[in-house]
Amino acid sequence: MTTFIHTLPVTLPTKLTELLSNLGFTHFTPIQEQSLPAIINGSDVLAQAQTGSGKTLAFAIGMLTKINPKFFGVQGLVMCPTRELADQVCKEIRRVARYMDNIKVLSLCGGMPFGPQIGSLEHGAHIVVGTPGRLLEHLRKGTLKINNLNTLVLDEADRMLDMGFVDSIRTVVEHTPDRRQTLLFSATYSDTIIELSKEFQYEPISIKVEQNTQLSPDIEQCFVRVDKETKLESLLASFRHYTPRQAIVFCNTKIECQTVADWLDNHKVSAKAIHGDLDQRQRDQVLVQFSNASTSVLVATDVAARGIDVKEIDMVVNFDMTRDIDVHTHRIGRTGRAGAKGMAVNLVTNKDDYKVKGVEERFNISANFTDIDPEIDFGYRLLPAMTTLAFDAGRKNKLRPGDIVGALTAGVGLDKDQVGKIDVFDFQAYVSIPRDLVKPTLAALQQSKIKGRNIKVRSLR
């Protein structure tokens, strides 16, 4: 078992450190080391930290130390810019909350039915994670009460401001008690962020984690000159040239996002689009298929990509380069995680030259262009080794990951190493298995019961 080394100048519950060891943690990251003592001691914190720095674990631990499990009122509230990020935050808090008994964490986001959320709130929740619009909707209807709140977290505050949520955030904060702890996390320190901090926080402790060379991901940036008319062909040729197993392609608009994904799919590349026009179940399924390696390419807008937490991404492609260098930095930071070497490919038209100069200045590099022939190789394929099975039951139906593992191993006869990542939602569950085992597995599951009942199972394409 991994031993977790606790070096903070504050005391953590023994059960928590044991849980962190069991989860594979060995030490705290810089943002956790710098922010956790202040959070646990009750100070407001204004922290600048990039995606993937470990900030979610920091505020999750700090928030949980102040929760009274016997009181089923909302004691912690996290505001996030997108549903995807809120889902990731919920999962992380639930994962850490296992060291305590009976802690209820609830997600309140738009795009989901309102009725079940009201029902869940009526049963009580210790921590709520949600998007500003849906939180405000519940507050106006009186279904959400946050007058007993201890801890308020504004996660990725800069992105929430970019998306125009500032008025909604203000209105939500007005419903919270004056005496509360406010934690504000942002990737950038703009003037607006500073003003927001002055408005919502009391003598906050400012923390800024610099990315030094030791901590910075190992990402090689490549540049490919393309023509607008053959840009899709150049994208396909880039996959053929650099041979990624999994990649994220960034586009600037929702329409282009879907167009690119459809085009790739028609050219034997397993691709899914994620953008604001998808409903919640569609978004969940796309993210599940990408995170469990049953989809090879995710084509995303910047907003929709917030909350994606997949560590094994080989390559990021800027199909559309962005003029915002901070956005560019966030994009390429999706690869090269957990000590792995990453690659970022920039497709550059003649109109993008000024954007290339910005990248050169930010990263102190010289853009060397790779010559890639856009002619289509009709023999090229980029297909995943895994396929996702979807179960028409979930957390609310008392279906657990262990039930799925048991059904596939003891029931069907798969080896444990043939059972991939499992995701359980309220009324759906997903698991990835090798593609060549899908047909016999589905046939066997149709003839068997899970937890004594028949559950419909299908494969996602």
Side-chain angles (χ1 to χ4, degrees):
M1 186 183 76
T2 302
T3 301
F4 179 75
I5 301 172
H6 168 32
T7 58
L8 298 182
V10 291
T11 302
L12 293 181
T14 303
K15 288 185 177 180
L16 172 58
T17 55
E18 290 175 353
L19 174 66
L20 293 173
S21 292
N22 292 335
L23 291 174
F25 289 96
T26 58
H27 59 277
F28 283 126
T29 66
I31 186 61
Q32 293 160 1
E33 282 188 338
Q34 294 182 42
S35 66
L36 259 171
I39 296 173
I40 291 173
N41 288 332
S43 299
D44 285 2
V45 170
L46 171 61
Q48 182 175 357
Q50 301 292 330
T51 299
S53 61
K55 56 185 171 61
T56 305
L57 181 64
F59 65 70
I61 290 175
M63 184 183 297
L64 286 165
T65 60
K66 299 174 179 62
I67 295 294
N68 176 5
K70 295 180 180 179
F71 174 58
F72 277 85
V74 179
Q75 301 165 58
L77 175 66
V78 185
M79 273 195 272
C80 300
T82 66
R83 289 173 277 184
E84 287 74 26
L85 181 60
D87 185 50
Q88 290 290 340
V89 170
C90 263
K91 287 180 180 178
E92 184 75 352
I93 295 175
R94 287 189 182 114
R95 194 165 68 131
V96 182
R98 279 161 32 197
Y99 85 92
M100 303 172 72
D101 293 327
N102 201 26
I103 298 298
K104 186 172 180 183
V105 184
L106 181 62
S107 173
L108 298 179
C109 297
M112 296 296 287
F114 206 82
Q117 292 181 351
I118 294 175
S120 295
L121 284 166
E122 287 175 347
H123 286 96
H126 298 99
I127 296 171
V128 166
V129 183
T131 48
R134 181 52 63 94
L135 291 173
L136 189 55
E137 209 173 344
H138 277 288
L139 287 168
R140 284 173 173 163
K141 290 181 181 294
T143 49
L144 172 64
K145 293 179 174 59
I146 51 177
N147 52 304
N148 291 303
L149 194 73
N150 294 325
T151 308
L152 170 67
V153 181
L154 304 181
D155 193 16
E156 300 209 3
D158 53 342
R159 181 56 59 183
M160 286 197 283
L161 296 184
D162 289 345
M163 295 170 68
F165 286 140
V166 64
D167 290 335
S168 296
I169 293 171
R170 282 196 176 100
T171 307
V172 171
V173 174
E174 286 173 1
H175 285 78
T176 65
D178 292 335
R179 295 189 65 178
R180 65 170 192 277
Q181 182 182 37
T182 304
L183 311 176
L184 196 156
F185 290 85
S186 177
T188 58
Y189 270 5
S190 65
D191 291 341
T192 314
I193 291 293
I194 301 300
E195 289 302 315
L196 206 65
S197 172
K198 290 179 180 177
E199 186 176 349
F200 298 149
Q201 296 186 297
Y202 175 73
E203 296 182 353
I205 294 175
S206 293
I207 296 169
K208 183 176 181 179
V209 177
E210 298 286 353
Q211 286 207 350
N212 58 43
T213 54
Q214 185 179 2
L215 296 172
S216 295
D218 183 9
I219 301 172
E220 178 186 0
Q221 294 206 59
C222 305
F223 299 82
V224 178
R225 180 70 67 182
V226 299
D227 294 326
K228 186 177 180 181
E229 294 75 18
T230 57
K231 203 172 181 182
L232 287 164
E233 289 82 355
S234 294
L235 172 62
L236 185 61
S238 296
F239 289 143
R240 186 184 68 224
H241 182 84
Y242 293 111
T243 64
R245 290 167 300 173
Q246 273 198 300
I248 297 181
V249 176
F250 281 100
C251 299
N252 289 342
T253 67
K254 293 183 287 187
I255 293 175
E256 191 160 45
C257 204
Q258 192 64 56
T259 300
V260 170
D262 292 343
W263 190 91
L264 288 173
D265 218 41
N266 290 332
H267 287 78
K268 309 303 180 185
V269 172
S270 167
K272 301 283 183 187
I274 184 163
H275 49 72
D277 286 346
L278 301 183
D279 64 36
Q280 187 60 39
R281 179 173 287 195
Q282 290 173 316
R283 294 159 79 101
D284 287 342
Q285 290 183 351
V286 168
L287 285 175
V288 162
Q289 287 177 276
F290 187 64
S291 67
N292 68 18
S294 60
T295 289
S296 301
V297 178
L298 184 69
V299 188
T301 56
D302 293 305
V303 170
R306 290 291 177 121
I308 296 173
D309 187 21
V310 181
K311 294 180 174 62
E312 295 82 14
I313 297 169
D314 305 301
M315 189 167 88
V316 166
V317 182
N318 287 306
F319 184 81
D320 295 322
M321 290 195 70
T322 174
R323 68 184 67 188
D324 188 330
I325 193 63
D326 287 329
V327 171
H328 177 91
T329 304
H330 281 301
R331 285 180 175 184
I332 70 170
R334 300 288 175 182
T335 184
R337 290 189 170 187
K341 184 176 177 60
M343 176 169 289
V345 176
N346 304 288
L347 303 186
V348 183
T349 66
N350 290 332
K351 293 183 178 180
D352 293 326
D353 286 340
Y354 76 97
K355 299 174 186 175
V356 173
K357 289 182 180 178
V359 174
E360 290 177 317
E361 292 172 0
R362 165 64 68 90
F363 296 95
N364 193 26
I365 60 174
S366 178
N368 294 316
F369 283 81
T370 303
D371 186 20
I372 295 179
D373 186 352
E375 185 175 344
I376 294 177
D377 177 357
F378 289 98
Y380 176 72
R381 303 283 189 275
L382 180 53
L383 302 173
M386 309 293 279
T387 294
T388 296
L389 301 184
F391 295 74
D392 283 347
R395 192 181 297 113
K396 299 286 188 181
N397 311 106
K398 309 299 183 184
L399 183 66
R400 300 170 303 171
D403 301 323
I404 295 173
V405 172
L408 293 173
T409 53
V412 176
L414 300 186
D415 294 331
K416 277 193 175 181
D417 59 5
Q418 293 176 317
V419 180
K421 186 171 180 285
I422 296 173
D423 292 274
V424 180
F425 294 84
D426 284 349
F427 300 102
Q428 291 282 313
Y430 306 93
V431 62
S432 62
I433 64 170
R435 290 175 64 195
D436 58 350
L437 297 177
V438 171
K439 285 187 177 180
T441 299
L442 283 176
L445 287 173
Q446 287 168 1
Q447 302 300 318
S448 60
K449 294 184 178 181
I450 302 175
K451 298 193 77 170
R453 54 206 167 98
N454 295 315
I455 297 177
K456 288 185 178 179
V457 188
R458 68 191 189 284
S459 64
L460 299 182
R461 64 171 300 278

